[in-house]
Amino acid sequence: VNNRYPGVYLSASARARTQRSMRDIKEVIIHCTATSEDATVSAIRNYHVNVCGWSDIGYHFLIDKYGRVLHGRPIEQIGAHCKGHNAHSIGVAYIGGKDGKDTRTMLQKNALRELVFWLRTIFPNGSVRGHNEFSNKLCPCFDVQKEYGIKEE
């Protein structure tokens, strides 16, 4: 486990990539995958690449129902998770949220809180927002501002 990524297992090459100069991050945007809680990162990546036509999975981090923080797209790369905000944001999704319901387990909630805290230490000027603050969607199926209360004005 790399202490820079709570609960995330990164290869040496992935660690080296993240130590390079970063993009100017202004937002951490929270999502749900709008899938069952049992969906896998590979299935989500497959959907994003083969159905959406993206180059990779859209999110930078995903959190499974066991609270494991999983690496998606490298954070130094622009994501594909929130139209108009991808260039200056990090996309974090919990696996679940099907049918517009907050299906987060307690383990997911704890891991999400820890990951958001860690990202805020790396990007202290970045606000934390829900995808639904930028798009007419239910995602992430909970009120990010009510839960975290750290929106920058």
Side-chain angles (χ1 to χ4, degrees):
V1 175
N2 182 329
N3 290 334
R4 293 187 60 191
Y5 292 86
V8 179
Y9 296 88
L10 294 178
S11 67
S13 63
R15 284 193 302 274
R17 282 194 317 265
T18 59
Q19 291 170 355
R20 295 181 192 140
S21 54
M22 285 297 305
R23 299 176 291 127
D24 180 25
I25 302 301
K26 298 179 192 281
E27 298 163 327
V28 174
I29 301 176
I30 309 299
H31 301 264
C32 65
T33 58
T35 63
S36 99
E37 298 81 27
D38 295 313
T40 63
V41 172
S42 62
I44 296 163
R45 178 175 277 117
N46 182 59
Y47 177 79
H48 285 182
V49 171
N50 295 315
V51 176
C52 299
W54 301 338
S55 63
D56 196 358
I57 194 166
Y59 312 113
H60 297 96
F61 296 98
L62 296 97
I63 302 172
D64 72 8
K65 68 182 180 180
Y66 303 108
R68 294 180 296 200
V69 178
L70 308 167
H71 193 67
R73 187 179 289 227
I75 61 173
E76 70 273 6
Q77 291 181 7
I78 295 172
H81 57 90
C82 188
K83 188 174 182 177
H85 295 266
N86 291 317
H88 299 288
S89 67
I90 299 291
V92 176
Y94 72 89
I95 298 175
K98 188 174 182 178
D99 299 324
K101 296 178 183 162
D102 182 359
T103 60
R104 293 175 298 156
T105 65
M106 190 56 66
L107 293 170
Q108 280 177 310
K109 289 179 181 183
N110 291 339
L112 181 57
R113 181 170 301 283
E114 183 178 321
L115 180 59
V116 166
F117 176 80
W118 175 78
L119 289 168
R120 292 278 294 172
T121 64
I122 303 299
F123 309 108
N125 297 323
S127 61
V128 179
R129 308 283 181 110
H131 187 203
N132 56 5
E133 294 179 58
F134 303 108
S135 181
N136 188 21
K137 298 181 182 247
L138 296 174
C139 172
C141 305
F142 71 95
D143 185 339
V144 169
Q145 297 314 312
K146 183 176 179 184
E147 191 150 326
Y148 295 105
I150 52 178
K151 178 172 151 180
E152 306 274 327
E153 294 300 328

